[in-house]
Amino acid sequence: MSERFVVIPVGRPAAETNNKVTTDTSPGGQRWAGNGNNSVTVAQETPETSVPILEYSREPNKYGDGNPKESIPFINNSDLDGGNLYDGKNMALFEEEMDSNPMVSSLLNKLANYTNLTQGVVEHEEAENDEGAKKKKVKSPQMGTFIGVYLPCLQNILGVILFLRFTWIVGTAGILESFAIVFMCCSCTMLTAISMSAIATNGVVPAGGSYYMISRSLGPEFGGAVGLCFYLGTTFAGSMYILGTIEILLTYIVPNAAIFKGENGGETEAMLNNMRVYGTCCIILMALVVYVGVKYVNKLALVFLACVVLSIFAIYAGVIKSAFDPPDFPICLLGNRTLLSRNYDVCAKIVIEANETVTTKLWSLFCDSPFLNASCNEYFEMNNVTEIQGIPGLASGVITDNLWSDYGLQGMLVEKKGQPSISAPDSKFTSPYVSNDIATFFTLLVGIYFPSVTGIMAGSNRSGDLKDAQKSIPVGTIMAIATTSFIYMSCVVLFGACIEGVVLRDKFGEAVSGNLVIGILSWPSPWVIVIGSLFSTCGAGLQSLTGAPRLLQAIARDGIVPFLQVFGHGKANGEPTWALLLTAGICEIGILIASLDSVAPILSMFFLMCYMFVNLACAVQTLLCTPNWRPRFKFYHWTLSFLGMSLCLALMFICSWYYALVAMLIAGCIYKYIEYRGAEKEWGDGIRGLSLNAARYALIRLEEAPPHTKNWRPQLMVLLNLDSEQNVKHAGLLSFTTQLKAGKGLTIVGSVIEGTYMAKRPEAKQSEQNVKSAMAAEKTKGFCHVVVSSNLRDGVSHLIQSAGLGGMKHNTVLMAWPNLWKEQEDPISWRNFIETVRETTAAHQALLVAKNIDSFPSNQERFSNGTIDVWWIVHDGGLLMLLPFLLQQHKVWRKCKMRIFTVAQLDDNSIQMKKDLQMFLYHLRLNAEVEVVEMHESDISAFTYEKTLVMEQRSQMLKQMQLSRTEREREAQLIHDRNTASHAAISEKVDAVPDRVHMTWTKEKYIAERNRNREPAGMGVKDLFNMKPEWESLNQSNVRRMHTAVKLNEVVVNKSQDAHLVLLNMPGPPKNKCGDENYMEFLEVLTEGLNRVLLVRGGGREVITIYS
């Protein structure tokens, strides 16, 4: 029961104490307890005499298991006090698990007290780990949908493009195509907002916005790549806003402040230089403001927002007023060409003053003198001057003239459609006309317009300040997009219906006395829009310089991009100083570009890529149906997310195909860098789930039937031995695995720990970590599987039988030769080895046994020459020939040549065998030297008999050692007594003999040779066990096997002693288990004198084919 409730037995008095806790146990068994004025009495009574009731305890923030030290609401909390055990009886069954599994009430308490603080903005955070430091109380977030999401999104979406470029876009593209541009871009952001709402309501989203959502949904690689792209987009957006600020300042407010003056057509270049100078000064000033205090920027945000809203209302008011009282802004046309307003005072060629005809300033522009008989420009002479209203009004019908597009090349004159004009050359004089400063086309306008719909992430970035983020983010964001979409779409129609086409296409208002075109439409004054847009763009630039460094700081603190670690640090209060410095530097790049029309498509790329991956994240999560995917926002579907993703991708290439490719290349490089060098993060992202689903689908399709021979490759189960400290004994096995596999196919590294799982679980975990570390050190790609079994034999058997999943199972076992099998008194090591050989054979799995594995080359070694020798004694399915080919793919063995030896018997045609083998290798596409070795029948040598005799003596000795201690002692005494007399006589006859004697064998020679060939050590063994076997007593099968091993070893050593690696057919163990101990001796003799040997035993199927 929770400590917030105290049991009060009714019928007993309650003792009251003041400000202290008292406990008293009366003789009657009554226990008194008090705490201040809220003390109660707990009486020990029988159930019959007490009626318990519940009283609410006023002690706050302490209930459940009474452990107030939990700092995070998670089950496995390392900060829990391990010694604080649950003291009640109701939950005594779980008291031993309380440290790792706290009470549900305690968990809920911590979840209730969890505060989602905005990441990066840490001015209100204190050092939580400083003992005794008083933490500043953080106010609970109280912002609602309107203030917290709707207005910030509105402020970020409506900005510089609306005020400076939107009328030009409408005039150039026409109403219909402009509407299509706006509809495409707004549809893109609306679909992205739906996907973002689903992700943002699927749990708590800290600040970091799109970066956090993408990284936690698609993984650190995608998150880091797209997060950095979003950071670059936000940074270039700051450049765009600053350029917009300078353009408003120098073009519409104080044009005389320009440092560079353009003459003879150099106005454009002079303007760009002015933008660079003033922009650099502006960015330095803004960076200083952000550095000094972000809180001032946040406080000014409402002022900037008010300017935007006021400007919007002024535009609509001007549209309404133009319907009945259009403003007076006349423009002057020569023929159908628009004239620059600064070059004339009266829109006429001549005027009458005092009954005299006088030429105007306009006349001087086209004629060589102010007199009526002057020589003038031919076009000027042939066409009339006309004055029309720049804002004819809503009821003028000008909308029909503005429906269609009017694209043109750079320098093309702005001309009025339908106006009479006589064409003529324009030589001799400078043209004082309004013209296009850049070439215009549909895709360019899409790229310039798209930044005006960005900013939809503003609400999700403030999730920590919202009262109910999961409700506010979807509603506020979608409403803001709907509002701004309505504003943009209505403005397309209203601008086209109110403003003359030549004025719309006049980007800088040069035909209307240098006024902002959208300003002359507004009411009550053009200055409302000019001042409002100035503050709006300035505020948006400050917001970008505030948000971008925090986004970079969030990425740096996640640790996924190592070289960005330095940008995770900042001032003492957490302000990202270094990130701000980098942001200002990147912003300066955009400032140096100097053209708003050139910067806009760049940031469009980065924002579109970000939005594309938000849609992808939602689609992936929806299609995977992961259990954790439970968004509160229900109005989403994977088809909408896929449509949004496709639209984003299409818009990227529509805006600029080369910018799109560059942005993708940047994101791809960052992705691969994080994948290769970045910190490993597991965020439960959708890509992991997608990989799991893909693996499951592939495994289901992959039948358990063996693959076709053409697809066969060794899928390895590597059996590793561990020492007493759970470290890998033979790391060379992993190196050899890497060289053999080169990262292809399946590799399972298995090991067995002897004992019970409950007792050995920590050791198993440690062993698994050690094996994984060894695999990483040797660059072995695969899986680790450590099992705990009652004995090693069963553990290995379990691995061979059960490792793998479905059709993805191993088909080959790789293990090391037990080098110390002779020295160990306990035969269990070699018995386990032989049983493993039998089990792999029964499971139809190939077996590779590496002898002298510690002498095998490491991954860093390189053989500049040498050979890999294959001794193909019996057919094993072609595995012997496939293995050297696979090894040669690795750089360690790449320069080694392959040699294949085979053995010809007495009745074989060795010449024909060699030709056939060469042809076979040719069809197999293998390059190898072929040699046929002739092994004729020969008499069994004395050395073979000696080896066999020693082997059988050792076998009998091992059997004898398995007797009980008492039996051994009694047997040894009997043997000693029986052989005391013969021992001396035989010892006198012992002479030294050569190591190897080859002779034709008879019974008499064998007896004499046996008595001569005994060494003192062997004699001692014989004396101990009373063994005097005659040659007839030797097992003839063992003699023949030993003969084969000796003869074959002689041939192999003769031919391949200098080879870097020797591959041999591995003979199978005897079917009769009584001969197991001899089997090891046969293999030892077979491989004696060779440095590196790989014994190969096929799996009973063909693994290589000559067919395509």
Side-chain angles (χ1 to χ4, degrees), residues 175 393-394 396-404 492-494 496-499:
I175 294 176
L394 199 60
S396 64
V398 73
I399 187 171
T400 56
D401 297 332
N402 295 330
L403 283 176
W404 311 107
V492 168
V493 178
L494 294 177
C498 294
I499 306 176

Side-chain angles (χ1 to χ4, degrees), residues 283-592:
I283 196 172
I284 293 174
L285 183 62
M286 286 185 176
L288 287 175
V289 171
V290 173
Y291 177 78
V292 170
V294 179
K295 54 185 178 182
Y296 302 114
V297 178
N298 294 330
K299 288 179 180 178
L300 288 172
L302 287 177
V303 177
F304 301 141
L305 177 62
C307 293
V308 174
V309 175
L310 186 62
S311 300
I312 298 297
F313 281 122
I315 293 170
Y316 280 105
V319 169
I320 295 172
K321 179 178 177 295
S322 72
F324 55 87
D325 184 18
D328 182 24
F329 280 97
I331 59 173
C332 190
L333 302 178
L334 177 61
N336 63 351
R337 300 176 182 178
T338 310
L339 294 171
L340 296 172
S341 61
R342 67 174 181 267
N343 294 326
Y344 63 90
D345 51 356
V346 179
C347 185
K349 294 182 180 180
I350 56 175
V351 293
I352 298 176
E353 293 181 358
N355 295 326
E356 291 184 8
T357 303
V358 181
T359 59
T360 63
K361 187 178 179 181
L362 187 61
W363 179 282
S364 302
L365 291 176
F366 294 94
C367 301
D368 56 4
S369 71
F371 303 107
L372 294 175
N373 60 353
S375 175
C376 297
N377 180 278
E378 188 175 349
Y379 185 84
F380 180 77
E381 292 179 346
M382 298 176 64
N383 289 277
N384 296 325
V385 176
T386 310
E387 187 176 68
I388 62 173
Q389 283 296 326
I391 310 291
L394 199 60
S396 64
V398 73
I399 187 171
T400 56
D401 297 332
N402 295 330
L403 283 176
W404 311 107
S405 61
D406 188 8
Y407 302 115
L409 299 174
Q410 182 178 2
M412 191 184 83
L413 302 181
V414 176
E415 300 175 343
K416 177 175 172 55
K417 301 174 184 175
Q419 185 75 10
S421 173
I422 301 173
S423 57
D426 281 324
S427 57
K428 288 177 63 177
F429 299 98
T430 304
S431 299
Y433 304 115
V434 178
S435 61
N436 290 342
D437 64 327
I438 59 172
T440 55
F441 40 89
F442 178 80
T443 57
L444 172 73
L445 299 185
V446 174
I448 293 175
Y449 172 74
F450 187 81
S452 65
V453 297
T454 60
I456 62 175
M457 301 289 181
S460 62
N461 289 343
R462 295 168 178 248
S463 60
D465 300 325
L466 300 175
K467 184 186 302 182
D468 186 358
Q470 298 193 357
K471 176 183 177 182
S472 297
I473 289 176
V475 175
T477 304
I478 292 175
M479 287 301 297
I481 294 175
T483 303
T484 53
S485 299
F486 171 78
I487 291 173
Y488 282 127
M489 291 180 182
S490 62
C491 282
V492 168
V493 178
L494 294 177
F495 290 167
C498 294
I499 306 176
E500 183 61 54
V502 290
V503 178
L504 285 174
R505 295 194 295 277
D506 184 5
K507 183 186 291 186
F508 302 108
E510 294 173 309
V512 285
S513 304
N515 285 306
L516 185 62
V517 174
I518 198 172
I520 63 175
L521 175 65
S522 62
W523 181 86
S525 168
W527 286 102
V528 175
I529 296 293
V530 172
I531 301 301
S533 60
L534 177 68
F535 279 102
S536 172
T537 53
C538 185
L542 282 172
Q543 293 285 354
S544 296
L545 285 179
T546 303
R550 279 167 174 72
L551 177 59
L552 181 63
Q553 187 182 46
I555 298 172
R557 285 183 172 177
D558 264 346
I560 58 174
V561 184
F563 68 83
L564 292 180
Q565 296 281 351
V566 66
F567 299 108
H569 308 292
K571 293 194 293 188
N573 61 0
E575 290 299 319
T577 307
W578 294 107
L580 175 62
L581 193 62
L582 179 66
T583 302
I586 298 175
C587 254
E588 180 62 20
I589 297 175
I591 297 297
L592 293 177

Side-chain angles (χ1 to χ4, degrees), residues 40 71 84 104 172 216 323 382 540 559 631 633 717 753 815 831 865 951 1054 1100:
V40 297
S71 60
N84 186 14
V104 173
T172 304
R216 270 57 177 181
M382 298 176 64
F633 180 77
M717 159 64 76
I753 296 177
M815 60 190 302
R831 288 192 186 279
N865 50 31
M951 178 184 71
N1054 183 41

